[in-house]
């Protein structure tokens, strides 16, 4: 009986990497507020890199205060200790936090930063740090343009998925609306999945992308109103390529079918609670 019992370990005796694998099934709230007080080994596991190789703050970032997002990102990315593989967050407010992310992107494969206020210049300066990224979402980032897209194409040679959807007004306000698409065609021969919803581009521009990206499997040009709307035109010319759009009807149907879900809890959105939680975390790290 004693020999059989020796084969089993108590929860607090499991290695940090095993605990981290288990804890990844928990919510952000549980990881930050429930797990640390349980015991030292659990606290060590959540303050180490094992729980933070995949960080999804998308839902939370849409509701938090700007300074909360910045502090939370810096804390969790620091905890990942260079092992970050997947990051999803909306609405980065400045170039500084984007630069910080790229400094810790040595293992990053998936980067989703929709609605972020990052500039062409910071993307050009840091794109070489994103060489391991295979999936990139920069949809609705209004401040970047062809310069950033070209820099990404130059340095992110492993990139196979690019999401660069826009809003109508943002796309219509561009002086050279096809520059981004042309930069994609010139620098992304390995792309397999491309989203360019609502871009003000022509049929010729789309054909240039398709011919320049021979591995392309999925092209979303929904609501690109200047593109030929005849589905047969693309289907006959590129039968193996899945094309979404360019008709705009789908977009209006989606707006009509939207269902809004309101979260009734205020975890980490209350500024006093957030400050208290962050103070506790900083004490743990200092200890």
């Amino acid at each position: 009986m004693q020999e059989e019992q020796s084969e089993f370990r108590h929860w607090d005796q499991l290695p940090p990497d095993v605990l981290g694998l288990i804890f990844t099934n928990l919510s952000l709230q549980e990881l930050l507020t429930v797990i640390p007080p349980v015991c030292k080994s659990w606290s060590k596991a959540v303050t180490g890199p094992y729980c933070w190789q995949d960080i999804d703050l998308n839902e939370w970032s849409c509701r938090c205060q700007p300074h909360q997002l910045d502090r939370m990102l810096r804390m969790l990315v620091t905890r990942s200790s260079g092992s970050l593989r997947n990051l999803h967050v909306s609405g980065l407010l400045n170039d500084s936090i984007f630069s910080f992310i790229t400094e810790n992107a040595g293992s990053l494969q998936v980067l989703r930063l929709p609605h972020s206020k990052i500039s062409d210049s910071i993307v050009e300066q840091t794109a070489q740090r994103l060489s391991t990224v295979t999936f990139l979402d920069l949809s609705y980032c209004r401040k970047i343009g062809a310069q950033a897209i070209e820099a990404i194409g130059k340095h992110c040679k492993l990139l196979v998925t690019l999401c660069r959807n826009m809003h109508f007004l943002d796309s219509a306000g561009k002086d050279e609306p096809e520059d981004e698409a042309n930069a994609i065609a010139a620098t992304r021969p390995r792309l397999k999945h491309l989203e360019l919803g609502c871009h003000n581009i022509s049929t010729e521009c789309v054909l240039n992308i398709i011919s320049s990206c021979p591995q392309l499997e999925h092209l979303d040009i929904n609501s690109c109103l200047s593109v030929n709307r005849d589905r047969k035109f693309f289907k006959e010319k590129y039968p193996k390529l899945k094309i979404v759009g360019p008709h705009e009807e789908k977009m209006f149907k989606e707006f009509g079918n939207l269902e809004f879900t309101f979260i009734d809890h205020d975890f980490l959105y209350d500024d006093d609670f957030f400050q208290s939680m962050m103070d506790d975390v900083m004490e743990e790290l200092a200890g």
Side-chain angles (χ1 to χ4, degrees):
M1 180 66 69
Q2 291 181 349
E3 292 181 358
E4 292 181 0
Q5 289 179 346
S6 65
E7 296 178 2
F8 298 92
R9 292 187 181 182
H10 294 289
W11 278 88
D12 60 351
Q13 296 177 341
L14 290 175
D17 56 337
V18 176
L19 286 172
L21 183 62
I22 297 170
F23 292 161
T24 54
N25 295 297
L26 301 177
S27 67
L28 180 65
Q29 177 182 8
E30 291 168 326
L31 283 172
L32 293 178
T33 63
V34 177
I35 295 299
V38 173
C39 62
K40 290 184 178 180
S41 65
W42 286 26
S43 177
K44 183 179 179 181
V46 295
T47 54
Y50 305 108
C51 291
W52 309 110
Q53 295 177 349
D54 300 285
I55 300 175
D56 187 350
L57 296 179
N58 185 53
E59 180 183 319
W60 180 75
S61 61
C62 293
R63 298 185 61 201
C64 71
Q65 298 296 321
H67 67 281
Q68 293 177 343
L69 176 58
D70 189 280
R71 292 188 67 186
M72 181 69 81
L73 263 176
R74 290 181 185 276
M75 180 185 74
L76 298 185
V77 171
T78 299
R79 285 187 177 187
S80 72
S81 301
S83 64
L84 182 62
R85 298 176 306 191
N86 185 339
L87 176 63
H88 189 184
V89 57
S90 293
L92 296 186
L93 289 180
N94 52 59
D95 288 349
S96 175
I97 188 62
F98 178 78
S99 180
F100 174 77
I101 290 170
T102 63
E103 289 171 0
N104 295 272
S107 302
L108 195 61
Q109 298 173 13
V110 177
L111 181 60
R112 303 181 185 186
L113 303 174
H115 302 283
S116 292
K117 297 179 181 179
I118 55 178
S119 66
D120 271 336
S121 59
I122 194 62
V123 175
E124 287 184 286
Q125 294 170 27
T126 60
Q128 70 272 12
R129 303 174 187 164
L130 301 174
S131 59
T132 59
V133 171
T134 61
F135 184 114
L136 180 63
D137 186 355
L138 294 176
S139 295
Y140 317 113
C141 296
R142 300 170 56 185
K143 293 186 175 182
I144 63 172
Q147 289 176 280
I149 299 302
E150 186 173 353
I152 292 168
K154 179 180 178 181
H155 295 285
C156 303
K157 299 299 184 181
L158 301 180
L159 194 66
V160 294
T161 297
L162 175 64
C163 302
R164 184 70 179 118
N165 300 299
M166 296 291 287
H167 294 301
F168 273 114
L169 295 179
D170 295 333
S171 181
K174 289 183 176 291
D175 295 331
E176 301 293 338
E178 295 191 342
D179 280 1
E180 283 192 35
N182 290 331
I184 292 171
T187 60
R188 305 291 199 295
R190 295 185 179 181
L191 270 186
K192 294 183 179 181
H193 184 113
L194 175 62
E195 297 182 12
L196 291 174
C198 289
H199 278 253
N200 185 19
I201 55 179
S202 65
T203 302
E204 290 73 22
C205 188
V206 172
L207 294 176
N208 183 34
I209 291 174
I210 296 175
S211 62
S212 301
C213 304
Q215 299 182 41
L216 199 61
E217 299 172 354
H218 180 107
L219 176 62
D220 189 333
I221 48 174
N222 194 44
S223 300
C224 295
L225 304 184
S226 298
V227 178
N228 190 329
R229 298 191 196 183
D230 186 359
R231 292 195 175 199
K232 291 183 179 180
F233 173 80
F234 288 103
K235 190 172 183 179
E236 292 175 357
K237 201 171 184 67
Y238 305 100
K240 296 183 179 181
L241 177 61
K242 180 179 179 180
I243 298 181
V244 179
H247 54 292
E248 72 275 17
E249 289 81 0
K250 177 188 175 185
M251 183 192 68
F252 293 115
K253 288 180 181 179
E254 288 176 349
F255 276 117
N257 294 328
L258 280 179
E259 294 182 1
F260 295 94
T261 302
F262 296 94
I263 303 173
D264 58 4
H265 63 265
D266 290 323
F267 157 66
L268 294 184
Y269 304 111
D270 178 80
D271 209 38
D272 292 336
F273 180 82
F274 179 85
Q275 185 61 49
S276 175
M277 187 274 295
M278 290 298 293
D279 290 343
D280 291 343
V281 169
M282 293 306 159
E283 288 182 8
E284 291 176 12
L285 294 177

